Amino acid sequence: MGFFDDLVFSAEEPCEGLREELFEEPAARGGEVVRLGPPDEDAARERPPLDWFAPAPVPQLAVAGGGPAAKVLLTGWSVWPDSVTLHLVVHRTVRGQSEGQSRQSGLRVGLLLGDGRRVTSLDADRDEYGTVLGPAADRAAAFPGRPTGLIPLDPGGMRDSLFRTDVDLYLTELPPPGETRLVVEWPDEDIPETSTPVDADALRAAAAHAVEVWPGLPTPGATGTRSLVFTRLGGPAAFLAPPMSGRERALLREREAARVRYVPRGDWAGMGYEDWGDAALIRARLDGGAPVDEQVWSGATPLHLAAERGDAEAVGLLLAHVTRVDAPDEEGHTALWHAVCKGDEDSVRALIRAGADVWTPQTGPWSPGRLLLTTPLAAVVADLPGAVALPDEELAAFRAADALIAAFDEEMWTEGLGVAFVRDLDADEVIRRLGAEPARCPEVPSEEAPFDEDEDDYDTSLRFVAVTDLPGSPGGCVITQDGYMPGDDAVLRAISADTTAYGLYFNPKGGTHGTLARDGRCVEHEEIGLSPEATDPAAHWHFRFWQAGPGVPYDALDLAYACAAAGLRVTDARRALDHTLPRRWVELPADLVR
């Protein structure tokens, strides 16, 4: 990358010129005198302290950059006690542009300092700066913050030539010791990036020779509310390149990231979730010497991550280099386990061909092969040595769970949704248990709901739930709300007398939380949908909470599990959760709302 590439953008617009303004209170206009006080810590903050010091000149004559019709000459430096002004002269043989010609860039100037920092005339975050003479409070209020980079200065005075322009750039500190270089570039004038050495030690030594014009000045007393402000709104002459906008800078970062993405490098830093499916990127990292057996995250090696998030091509690339195909992550899972959970047949076969252990349990009784036997990929491992068929009752539990998952398998919006399944009770009975009269709760279209979801506040909407019959064998009904009340203990206790109910809340802040109620008591609270541990109920395995990947119907798994926990067996639950269809609304009594 060039010195200025991340600071400039094509199709730059000329920047606005300088402007000076005088701000004063109306009552102070007239013949009031403003007296110069001694320099303070802000005297050289945004411009040279020329009111107090005569700088020490350090001549340096050199061609800093040249093109066919323009040259940039370095003529020297003005050194102040703690800062320095760079003097350039631009000579051109042609002035102006043809009408309609686009301006692609301006003159770019920068310093590479001895401590590795880069300061330029394009540095951003200098929206407006200036020097204030007057009460200290006025100064602090007017211009907070600190400018950065090389500040363009207006040399002022009459122009003696159409083909020569002075360019003065101000650095608010002395260059640190060490090698310093002046860098210029001007694409419009075919001036390439050119570097010129600078003697930073000579500049630092010259600072001691700057002359203080008014030593021992007394601090002037306050003279009213008048403040003199020199304001810089645009910067230097129009041919200097302005900084990029935020949008331009972001676009340039994207281009640079794309350029360097496939440059070989010897580590796995910066690899995002989807990057583990980019075989070309993984190959570039391997070519750069990235350690293939390194634990990248939570004990997971690149092979784990490619099996979990990538594809068979990425897995195959890594298998050619790994030394331990069965290395465990922090949870004791191998790459084959993750490939099984994702359901990627090609990755599973590649890992098995590479010698991956199929049958050793990794969580409770579950091994990668045992999980595969519950999926459509069972044939991949069914005839391998060590295979043991699953008991009929376990296969039946998986088939029953899959049937319920299919009943809910339709894309739906569940964020913030509350659901409660109630066994054996119809909608009329549930409405009565919620303290309302069924006759007063007719089925109405969604647009006739008793509250306006767009206008009413959230607390108002929590007072209402929708109750819908859910046929099945056995069936029951379902309570829904865009809120947490269907899963609230008080509601579940009210509706579960002599039966079973399960409430579920898809918390938008994270996690899906369930509550089982039986015979008017809440008997279990749990977070569901997480990858099961050895101590979790068998149903967490049957409803496939262990599955992962973009094609997994996570919401359907959770809803089917909750439905089964309440004891319902249904074949089509989509109508109960379709918010666009008519529903029966119930206003909850005050003792159930919190």
Side-chain angles (χ1 to χ4, degrees):
M1 179 187 292
F3 187 86
F4 299 102
D5 284 355
D6 60 339
L7 297 174
V8 295
F9 195 79
S10 60
E12 295 167 335
E13 294 296 329
C15 59
E16 183 184 345
L18 298 177
R19 185 175 72 206
E20 292 188 350
E21 295 181 356
L22 183 66
F23 295 89
E24 59 180 359
E25 295 295 330
R29 292 174 183 158
E32 186 172 0
V33 174
V34 177
R35 295 190 182 277
L36 180 66
D40 60 17
E41 61 182 11
D42 292 327
R45 185 179 175 202
E46 293 94 14
R47 59 190 298 152
L50 47 85
D51 288 323
W52 297 275
F53 295 93
V58 177
Q60 183 180 357
L61 189 59
V63 177
K71 288 188 177 181
V72 180
L73 271 65
L74 168 63
T75 60
W77 309 78
S78 291
V79 184
W80 313 89
D82 298 300
S83 55
V84 64
T85 301
L86 163 65
H87 301 295
L88 301 174
V89 178
V90 175
H91 289 267
R92 289 172 289 174
T93 60
V94 178
R95 184 67 183 265
Q97 286 182 314
S98 302
E99 186 176 353
Q101 180 180 352
S102 63
R103 179 176 182 272
Q104 295 183 349
S105 64
L107 172 61
R108 310 163 183 174
V109 183
L111 288 172
L112 182 60
L113 302 178
D115 58 6
R117 286 180 296 152
R118 174 188 56 170
V119 292
T120 80
S121 59
L122 300 94
D123 295 338
D125 301 325
R126 284 203 314 272
D127 296 336
E128 181 175 307
Y129 48 83
T131 299
V132 181
L133 301 179
D138 292 348
R139 181 185 301 112
F143 297 106
R146 180 177 179 84
T148 58
L150 291 172
I151 302 173
L153 302 174
D154 182 6
M158 298 292 293
R159 299 292 188 266
D160 296 327
S161 170
L162 291 174
F163 302 99
R164 166 190 162 133
T165 304
D166 295 333
V167 178
D168 292 342
L169 296 167
Y170 181 61
L171 181 64
T172 60
E173 60 179 290
L174 292 172
E179 182 182 4
T180 299
R181 303 194 73 85
L182 168 68
V183 185
V184 301
E185 182 182 49
W186 196 352
D188 271 0
E189 296 291 350
D190 295 323
I191 296 179
E193 183 178 303
T194 308
S195 174
T196 302
V198 175
D199 188 347
D201 293 334
L203 297 180
R204 295 178 64 83
H209 300 291
V211 175
E212 187 171 4
V213 180
W214 302 109
L217 274 177
T219 302
T223 56
T225 58
R226 186 173 187 268
S227 295
L228 185 63
V229 181
F230 295 93
T231 307
R232 190 180 313 284
L233 295 178
F239 60 75
L240 274 173
M244 285 187 294
S245 68
R247 180 191 64 81
E248 291 167 342
R249 190 180 295 273
L251 181 58
L252 192 65
R253 281 197 297 265
E254 291 176 6
R255 291 177 180 175
E256 177 64 13
R259 184 186 71 81
V260 303
R261 177 175 174 83
Y262 298 104
V263 174
R265 55 182 290 182
D267 57 48
W268 302 102
M271 296 283 289
Y273 190 97
E274 296 181 356
D275 290 338
W276 295 102
D278 188 336
L281 179 59
I282 291 176
R283 185 180 293 107
R285 297 298 179 98
L286 292 172
D287 290 345
V292 72
D293 292 316
E294 179 183 39
Q295 293 185 349
V296 178
W297 181 78
S298 294
T301 67
L303 185 61
H304 286 99
L305 297 170
E308 178 187 3
R309 308 173 182 181
D311 55 23
E313 185 179 3
V315 168
L317 281 171
L318 293 162
L319 280 173
H321 297 82
V322 297
T323 58
R324 295 178 60 201
V325 69
D326 285 322
D329 60 17
E330 287 184 352
E331 296 179 346
H333 296 151
T334 64
L336 179 58
W337 176 280
H338 291 292
V340 169
C341 292
K342 188 181 180 186
D344 185 340
E345 180 176 356
D346 291 338
S347 293
V348 167
R349 290 184 179 276
L351 287 160
I352 292 175
R353 286 196 301 269
D357 185 341
V358 177
W359 299 112
T360 299
Q362 296 184 17
T363 299
W366 296 100
S367 65
R370 196 166 192 263
L371 285 179
L372 277 176
L373 291 176
T374 73
T375 73
L377 300 182
V380 175
V381 295
D383 296 328
L384 292 180
V388 177
L390 291 176
D392 290 343
E393 60 270 21
E394 189 143 51
L395 285 174
F398 274 99
R399 285 195 293 269
D402 288 341
L404 265 180
I405 293 169
F408 288 92
D409 191 8
E410 181 173 295
E411 186 174 347
M412 65 188 76
W413 180 261
T414 58
E415 183 176 337
L417 177 68
V419 183
F421 296 96
V422 192
R423 176 180 170 135
D424 293 333
L425 305 182
D426 61 14
D428 282 355
E429 177 59 24
V430 170
I431 290 172
R432 291 188 190 95
R433 294 188 178 195
L434 292 176
E437 290 293 331
R440 295 178 178 269
C441 303
E443 191 175 74
V444 299
S446 58
E447 60 269 17
E448 296 181 18
F451 62 94
D452 191 325
E453 293 182 348
D454 294 328
E455 295 182 3
D456 289 344
D457 62 27
Y458 182 64
D459 290 338
T460 300
S461 67
L462 288 178
R463 299 204 312 264
F464 296 89
V465 296
V467 181
T468 307
D469 284 313
L470 193 58
S473 180
C477 76
V478 60
I479 303 171
T480 58
Q481 181 194 69
D482 288 331
Y484 58 83
M485 288 306 301
D488 186 73
D489 286 8
V491 172
L492 291 172
R493 286 194 295 266
I495 62 177
S496 64
D498 300 320
T499 189
T500 303
Y502 193 95
L504 193 65
Y505 178 49
F506 294 89
N507 192 334
K509 295 182 179 179
T512 303
H513 303 273
T515 301
L516 176 65
R518 186 179 294 116
D519 297 326
R521 296 176 57 250
C522 294
V523 296
E524 184 177 2
H525 296 84
E526 59 181 343
E527 185 174 358
I528 67 171
L530 304 176
S531 182
E533 299 179 356
T535 57
D536 285 334
H540 288 203
W541 296 92
H542 300 154
F543 283 89
R544 305 186 184 278
F545 293 164
W546 46 272
Q547 286 188 329
V552 176
Y554 294 101
D555 296 339
L557 303 184
D558 296 343
L559 289 165
Y561 173 84
C563 185
L568 280 70
R569 294 290 183 271
V570 300
T571 57
D572 187 356
R574 291 170 294 182
R575 181 184 179 280
L577 298 172
D578 189 341
H579 290 194
T580 66
L581 296 178
R583 291 181 290 175
R584 300 177 71 177
W585 289 98
V586 179
E587 183 172 6
L588 299 174
D591 61 333
L592 293 184
V593 179
R594 63 175 178 87

